[in-house]
Amino acid sequence: MVDVFRMPDVGEGLTEAEIVAWQVAPGDTVTVNQILLEIETAKAVVELPSPYAGTVHELLASPGDTVNVGEPIIAIETGSGSAPPAPAAPATGGAKIGEAGADGRIATLVGYGPRPGSATRRPRPGRRGAPVAAAEEASAQVGLSAAAATAPTLDPPDPRVPRSAPASPPDPARESSLVPLAKPPVRKLAKDLGVDLRELTGSGPGGVITREDVQAAAAPSVAEPSAEPSTVPTALPADPHLGSAAPTALPADPHAGSASGERREPIRGVRKATAAAMVQSAFTAPHVTEFLTVDVTETMALRERLRGSRAFADVKLTPLAFVAKAVCLAARRTPAVNASWDEAAGEIVYYDRVQLGIAAATPRGLMVPKIRDADRLDLHGLAVALSTLTETARAGRTTPADLTGGTITITNVGVFGVDSGTPILNPGEAAILAVGSIKPAPWVVDGELAVRTVCRLALSFDHRLVDGEQGSRFLADVGALLEDPATAMLW
């Protein structure tokens, strides 16, 4: 019996996803909850485990394909008969989706822990032929509970429907060279430059292929050495925006994407989701932005003292942790900034806890993962959460659940050397605070000019539910806490 696994909705109303990479190939034996592939949604890169145990019959989508939710992506031979797949043995597989494993963790569609260290990537399969019409007609919807439901059976193929040609026998040499791990942005760069990841040895931790590995492998193909002496260099650094068909003499202008002098990219993934969110916010919530320049000399001095203490020896204590703590404390005094406007219900929703969003620039674009119940964390806890959050986001492993449900956001534009800006609200939130660069500047102290460490803050808020007085008081409170951390003792 052949069971078809369809693209699931991994949460938050997913309508489509792009196939990033397959971890299995036709003929492979798979177990329940074994990772089959990676997909990229508008919010995150997600690993999809298998709801069946059996043998991979056919891959119905190729890397780079955009697949709608409900469309088939893989067919798995689960054996004869109509019985549902048997549970995997604890020694060789994990718990079924939705059930607790031996370690007590719940198996989910987005994975539940790091993959085993012995796992290796299979060579990427070739592109598939036309989908099997009979398989799509006979298979039932496979959702989050697919492992517990009776799997549909494929009808005999209609001889009038063309099938793709049988897969050619695997090349033993190619099978023996398994692909080391590489992050999605690195795989995309390799695809753009025409570099075969199977031929590279990763220089990163655990053999992970890095961007530098790909660029180094692509450099010789950009410009071949000339047999004639020349004063013009024959090898220049590869440009990640150029395709693999680069000229062999002099490389093209790195800013030219085509003969017409322009380069076009499809709007999808994070960029598509970000654009939709920003347009919705800008044309729905009436924005007001206020600015405040703060003397943060005392906060930076406190940071230096704490960094040398034993209590903070295990964590990187950044200025952003102090800003996050100040935002949580100030939000208690101005609940309107930690609220949302419910147009459908005609209500303003005030939240008891602060779900703090931190805007992060990642290789996939702008993401805003959340620190859950940030107001309950002390300074050390916020520092740990910030470190974990940013590392996960930049590695492209933030789950969709961590990108939703925020109540207020901080964006740190200061890391780019920018003093300030007018941030746009995340849809559904009432306020967003932009933190500018922290640097020495002339400042008047007790009537005399002195050099102090200063920072500029910018607060945008939704004027439908936050009045000017409320927004100003909140911004002033944040500034007071950063100017003199001891102020927190008075609240």
Side-chain angles (χ1 to χ4, degrees):
M1 180 177 68
V2 176
D3 294 307
V4 174
F5 181 37
R6 297 176 179 268
M7 177 67 73
D9 179 355
V10 295
E12 299 300 326
L14 174 70
T15 59
E16 64 182 17
E18 180 180 340
I19 306 296
V20 174
W22 284 100
Q23 307 300 317
V24 296
D28 287 355
T29 300
V30 297
T31 59
V32 173
N33 285 334
Q34 177 180 336
I35 300 301
L36 297 177
L37 73 159
E38 291 178 344
I39 63 171
E40 183 174 12
T41 72
K43 296 177 179 178
V45 174
V46 178
E47 294 178 333
L48 293 185
S50 174
Y52 307 110
T55 303
V56 176
H57 178 71
E58 184 178 4
L59 305 182
L60 303 177
S62 300
D65 290 352
T66 298
V67 182
N68 294 327
V69 170
E71 291 184 357
I73 53 178
I74 185 173
I76 299 177
E77 179 74 43
T78 57
S80 59
S82 58
T92 59
K96 286 188 177 182
I97 297 172
E99 297 179 354
D103 57 359
R105 293 179 294 181
I106 302 298
T108 67
L109 273 176
V110 296
Y112 58 104
R115 68 184 67 183
S118 60
T120 52
R121 292 182 186 269
R122 303 285 304 181
R124 179 174 290 184
R127 295 189 65 83
R128 65 183 178 96
V132 182
E136 296 183 354
E137 294 174 357
S139 60
Q141 174 68 35
V142 179
L144 297 178
S145 60
T150 302
T153 306
L154 286 175
D155 293 331
D158 190 333
R160 295 171 295 179
V161 178
R163 290 291 302 262
S164 57
S168 57
D171 185 353
R174 209 165 181 82
E175 283 289 335
S176 63
S177 178
L178 297 180
V179 182
L181 296 177
K183 297 177 181 177
V186 177
R187 284 196 293 269
K188 184 179 186 302
L189 175 61
K191 181 179 179 182
D192 292 341
L193 297 179
V195 175
D196 188 351
L197 293 178
R198 288 182 287 258
E199 299 177 358
L200 301 185
T201 300
S203 62
V208 174
I209 294 178
T210 65
R211 179 179 293 270
E212 290 73 20
D213 296 334
V214 174
Q215 291 175 339
S221 64
V222 174
E224 295 294 339
S226 173
E228 298 295 330
S230 174
T231 59
V232 180
T234 57
L236 294 178
D239 181 41
H241 300 300
L242 295 178
S244 59
T248 56
L250 273 179
D253 183 351
H255 300 291
S258 64
S260 63
E262 64 181 30
R263 177 172 56 90
R264 292 175 174 263
E265 293 182 354
I267 302 173
R268 61 188 181 188
V270 173
R271 175 55 52 200
K272 183 177 181 180
T274 300
M278 293 300 97
V279 170
Q280 176 190 351
S281 177
F283 292 96
T284 301
H287 284 56
V288 174
T289 304
E290 295 183 341
F291 303 89
L292 178 66
T293 303
V294 182
D295 178 0
V296 295
T297 304
E298 294 299 326
T299 293
M300 293 300 99
L302 174 60
R303 174 181 176 239
E304 288 304 315
R305 293 197 301 272
L306 292 177
R307 288 173 67 181
S309 68
R310 183 179 302 176
F312 287 84
D314 62 335
V315 66
K316 181 179 180 181
L317 185 58
T318 65
L320 189 59
F322 291 88
V323 177
K325 187 61 178 177
V327 165
C328 292
L329 292 174
R332 294 179 184 174
R333 291 161 56 95
T334 310
V337 300
N338 195 50
S340 65
W341 183 273
D342 190 338
E343 184 71 31
E347 298 173 340
I348 297 175
V349 182
Y350 294 92
Y351 300 104
D352 295 332
R353 305 262 68 92
V354 175
Q355 312 302 332
L356 184 61
I358 304 296
T362 75
R364 298 181 62 237
L366 173 66
M367 289 188 175
V368 189
K370 310 298 184 289
I371 299 178
R372 301 300 177 188
D373 297 342
D375 56 308
R376 291 184 171 180
L377 299 177
D378 58 13
L379 186 62
H380 183 276
L382 285 171
V384 172
L386 283 169
S387 178
T388 303
L389 176 147
T390 52
E391 289 177 5
T392 303
R394 288 169 184 164
R397 293 298 175 187
T398 305
T399 63
D402 290 335
L403 295 169
T404 59
T407 59
I408 189 171
T409 294
I410 298 174
T411 176
N412 185 11
V413 298
V415 295
F416 306 108
V418 176
D419 291 335
S420 187
T422 54
I424 298 179
L425 295 167
N426 278 328
E429 297 181 12
I432 178 172
L433 180 71
V435 183
S437 58
I438 300 174
K439 58 186 179 182
W443 198 262
V444 177
V445 180
D446 297 330
E448 296 183 359
L449 194 62
V451 176
R452 305 287 285 182
T453 304
V454 301
C455 174
R456 197 174 194 195
L457 308 175
L459 176 72
S460 291
F461 54 87
D462 186 344
H463 214 344
R464 294 177 299 178
L465 64 156
V466 180
D467 295 332
E469 180 268 337
Q470 295 172 312
S472 300
R473 185 175 65 236
F474 172 79
L475 183 58
D477 284 346
V478 173
L481 289 166
L482 295 178
E483 185 167 331
D484 183 6
T487 303
M489 300 294 294
L490 305 177
W491 293 359

mmCIF file of all heavy atoms in Angstrom, residues 176-196:
data_model
loop_
_atom_site.group_PDB
_atom_site.id
_atom_site.type_symbol
_atom_site.label_atom_id
_atom_site.label_comp_id
_atom_site.label_asym_id
_atom_site.label_seq_id
_atom_site.Cartn_x
_atom_site.Cartn_y
_atom_site.Cartn_z
ATOM 1 N N SER A 176 27.920 7.354 -2.124
ATOM 2 C CA SER A 176 28.878 7.270 -1.037
ATOM 3 C C SER A 176 29.329 8.633 -0.552
ATOM 4 O O SER A 176 29.987 8.736 0.466
ATOM 5 C CB SER A 176 30.092 6.464 -1.505
ATOM 6 O OG SER A 176 30.732 7.144 -2.585
ATOM 7 N N SER A 177 29.028 9.679 -1.335
ATOM 8 C CA SER A 177 29.423 11.032 -0.930
ATOM 9 C C SER A 177 28.207 11.789 -0.437
ATOM 10 O O SER A 177 27.533 12.460 -1.195
ATOM 11 C CB SER A 177 30.043 11.760 -2.135
ATOM 12 O OG SER A 177 30.395 13.071 -1.790
ATOM 13 N N LEU A 178 27.913 11.628 0.844
ATOM 14 C CA LEU A 178 26.749 12.284 1.418
ATOM 15 C C LEU A 178 27.038 13.753 1.661
ATOM 16 O O LEU A 178 28.155 14.140 1.982
ATOM 17 C CB LEU A 178 26.364 11.592 2.720
ATOM 18 C CG LEU A 178 25.948 10.119 2.567
ATOM 19 C CD1 LEU A 178 25.599 9.546 3.923
ATOM 20 C CD2 LEU A 178 24.784 9.982 1.611
ATOM 21 N N VAL A 179 26.000 14.587 1.532
ATOM 22 C CA VAL A 179 26.173 16.031 1.613
ATOM 23 C C VAL A 179 26.232 16.488 3.060
ATOM 24 O O VAL A 179 25.334 16.204 3.836
ATOM 25 C CB VAL A 179 25.005 16.737 0.894
ATOM 26 C CG1 VAL A 179 25.209 18.244 0.936
ATOM 27 C CG2 VAL A 179 24.913 16.247 -0.540
ATOM 28 N N PRO A 180 27.299 17.208 3.451
ATOM 29 C CA PRO A 180 27.315 17.767 4.809
ATOM 30 C C PRO A 180 26.223 18.799 4.975
ATOM 31 O O PRO A 180 25.675 19.315 4.003
ATOM 32 C CB PRO A 180 28.718 18.407 4.908
ATOM 33 C CG PRO A 180 29.514 17.782 3.809
ATOM 34 C CD PRO A 180 28.530 17.463 2.735
ATOM 35 N N LEU A 181 25.926 19.137 6.210
ATOM 36 C CA LEU A 181 24.865 20.099 6.491
ATOM 37 C C LEU A 181 25.244 21.485 5.998
ATOM 38 O O LEU A 181 26.403 21.885 6.042
ATOM 39 C CB LEU A 181 24.595 20.148 7.994
ATOM 40 C CG LEU A 181 24.072 18.866 8.628
ATOM 41 C CD1 LEU A 181 23.924 19.052 10.133
ATOM 42 C CD2 LEU A 181 22.728 18.483 8.030
ATOM 43 N N ALA A 182 24.239 22.234 5.547
ATOM 44 C CA ALA A 182 24.422 23.628 5.128
ATOM 45 C C ALA A 182 23.116 24.364 5.372
ATOM 46 O O ALA A 182 22.033 23.821 5.140
ATOM 47 C CB ALA A 182 24.803 23.712 3.647
ATOM 48 N N LYS A 183 23.208 25.596 5.847
ATOM 49 C CA LYS A 183 22.022 26.390 6.127
ATOM 50 C C LYS A 183 21.339 26.786 4.819
ATOM 51 O O LYS A 183 21.995 26.885 3.779
ATOM 52 C CB LYS A 183 22.399 27.639 6.924
ATOM 53 C CG LYS A 183 22.982 27.321 8.293
ATOM 54 C CD LYS A 183 23.405 28.582 9.021
ATOM 55 C CE LYS A 183 24.014 28.245 10.372
ATOM 56 N NZ LYS A 183 24.494 29.446 11.084
ATOM 57 N N PRO A 184 20.011 27.048 4.862
ATOM 58 C CA PRO A 184 19.285 27.410 3.643
ATOM 59 C C PRO A 184 19.901 28.562 2.864
ATOM 60 O O PRO A 184 19.995 28.484 1.626
ATOM 61 C CB PRO A 184 17.876 27.748 4.158
ATOM 62 C CG PRO A 184 17.732 26.923 5.393
ATOM 63 C CD PRO A 184 19.088 26.868 6.002
ATOM 64 N N PRO A 185 20.353 29.667 3.494
ATOM 65 C CA PRO A 185 20.973 30.734 2.694
ATOM 66 C C PRO A 185 22.223 30.266 1.970
ATOM 67 O O PRO A 185 22.498 30.713 0.857
ATOM 68 C CB PRO A 185 21.282 31.815 3.738
ATOM 69 C CG PRO A 185 20.357 31.559 4.861
ATOM 70 C CD PRO A 185 20.194 30.079 4.902
ATOM 71 N N VAL A 186 22.976 29.352 2.592
ATOM 72 C CA VAL A 186 24.188 28.842 1.960
ATOM 73 C C VAL A 186 23.821 27.944 0.788
ATOM 74 O O VAL A 186 24.460 27.980 -0.265
ATOM 75 C CB VAL A 186 25.046 28.085 2.997
ATOM 76 C CG1 VAL A 186 26.278 27.471 2.336
ATOM 77 C CG2 VAL A 186 25.464 29.022 4.114
ATOM 78 N N ARG A 187 22.777 27.126 0.941
ATOM 79 C CA ARG A 187 22.329 26.285 -0.175
ATOM 80 C C ARG A 187 21.855 27.126 -1.343
ATOM 81 O O ARG A 187 22.109 26.811 -2.502
ATOM 82 C CB ARG A 187 21.213 25.346 0.305
ATOM 83 C CG ARG A 187 21.710 24.190 1.135
ATOM 84 C CD ARG A 187 20.637 23.103 1.240
ATOM 85 N NE ARG A 187 19.494 23.565 2.002
ATOM 86 C CZ ARG A 187 19.376 23.407 3.303
ATOM 87 N NH1 ARG A 187 20.331 22.839 3.986
ATOM 88 N NH2 ARG A 187 18.295 23.847 3.928
ATOM 89 N N LYS A 188 21.155 28.230 -1.039
ATOM 90 C CA LYS A 188 20.694 29.107 -2.113
ATOM 91 C C LYS A 188 21.874 29.751 -2.835
ATOM 92 O O LYS A 188 21.890 29.853 -4.064
ATOM 93 C CB LYS A 188 19.767 30.190 -1.554
ATOM 94 C CG LYS A 188 19.178 31.091 -2.631
ATOM 95 C CD LYS A 188 18.253 32.129 -2.031
ATOM 96 C CE LYS A 188 17.558 32.922 -3.120
ATOM 97 N NZ LYS A 188 18.509 33.587 -4.024
ATOM 98 N N LEU A 189 22.884 30.176 -2.064
ATOM 99 C CA LEU A 189 24.068 30.766 -2.680
ATOM 100 C C LEU A 189 24.761 29.754 -3.574
ATOM 101 O O LEU A 189 25.191 30.083 -4.684
ATOM 102 C CB LEU A 189 25.018 31.255 -1.575
ATOM 103 C CG LEU A 189 26.374 31.798 -2.038
ATOM 104 C CD1 LEU A 189 26.183 33.000 -2.941
ATOM 105 C CD2 LEU A 189 27.243 32.152 -0.841
ATOM 106 N N ALA A 190 24.868 28.498 -3.107
ATOM 107 C CA ALA A 190 25.487 27.455 -3.918
ATOM 108 C C ALA A 190 24.706 27.227 -5.205
ATOM 109 O O ALA A 190 25.283 27.046 -6.285
ATOM 110 C CB ALA A 190 25.585 26.162 -3.106
ATOM 111 N N LYS A 191 23.376 27.260 -5.110
ATOM 112 C CA LYS A 191 22.546 27.091 -6.304
ATOM 113 C C LYS A 191 22.752 28.234 -7.283
ATOM 114 O O LYS A 191 22.854 28.027 -8.496
ATOM 115 C CB LYS A 191 21.073 26.991 -5.886
ATOM 116 C CG LYS A 191 20.114 26.785 -7.048
ATOM 117 C CD LYS A 191 18.686 26.672 -6.539
ATOM 118 C CE LYS A 191 17.705 26.499 -7.690
ATOM 119 N NZ LYS A 191 16.303 26.430 -7.208
ATOM 120 N N ASP A 192 22.832 29.475 -6.750
ATOM 121 C CA ASP A 192 23.025 30.638 -7.615
ATOM 122 C C ASP A 192 24.378 30.599 -8.323
ATOM 123 O O ASP A 192 24.505 31.033 -9.472
ATOM 124 C CB ASP A 192 22.908 31.928 -6.799
ATOM 125 C CG ASP A 192 21.495 32.166 -6.290
ATOM 126 O OD1 ASP A 192 20.569 31.553 -6.859
ATOM 127 O OD2 ASP A 192 21.318 32.942 -5.331
ATOM 128 N N LEU A 193 25.400 30.103 -7.610
ATOM 129 C CA LEU A 193 26.753 30.081 -8.176
ATOM 130 C C LEU A 193 27.068 28.797 -8.922
ATOM 131 O O LEU A 193 28.147 28.663 -9.491
ATOM 132 C CB LEU A 193 27.778 30.274 -7.050
ATOM 133 C CG LEU A 193 27.724 31.619 -6.304
ATOM 134 C CD1 LEU A 193 28.768 31.659 -5.202
ATOM 135 C CD2 LEU A 193 27.938 32.771 -7.268
ATOM 136 N N GLY A 194 26.127 27.853 -8.932
ATOM 137 C CA GLY A 194 26.355 26.605 -9.644
ATOM 138 C C GLY A 194 27.334 25.683 -8.949
ATOM 139 O O GLY A 194 28.040 24.921 -9.607
ATOM 140 N N VAL A 195 27.397 25.732 -7.630
ATOM 141 C CA VAL A 195 28.333 24.902 -6.865
ATOM 142 C C VAL A 195 27.606 23.667 -6.350
ATOM 143 O O VAL A 195 26.529 23.769 -5.763
ATOM 144 C CB VAL A 195 28.927 25.699 -5.681
ATOM 145 C CG1 VAL A 195 29.797 24.794 -4.824
ATOM 146 C CG2 VAL A 195 29.734 26.878 -6.197
ATOM 147 N N ASP A 196 28.201 22.491 -6.585
ATOM 148 C CA ASP A 196 27.632 21.228 -6.100
ATOM 149 C C ASP A 196 28.108 21.002 -4.671
ATOM 150 O O ASP A 196 29.311 20.806 -4.426
ATOM 151 C CB ASP A 196 28.075 20.076 -6.999
ATOM 152 C CG ASP A 196 27.361 18.774 -6.662
ATOM 153 O OD1 ASP A 196 26.650 18.730 -5.624
ATOM 154 O OD2 ASP A 196 27.496 17.800 -7.424
#
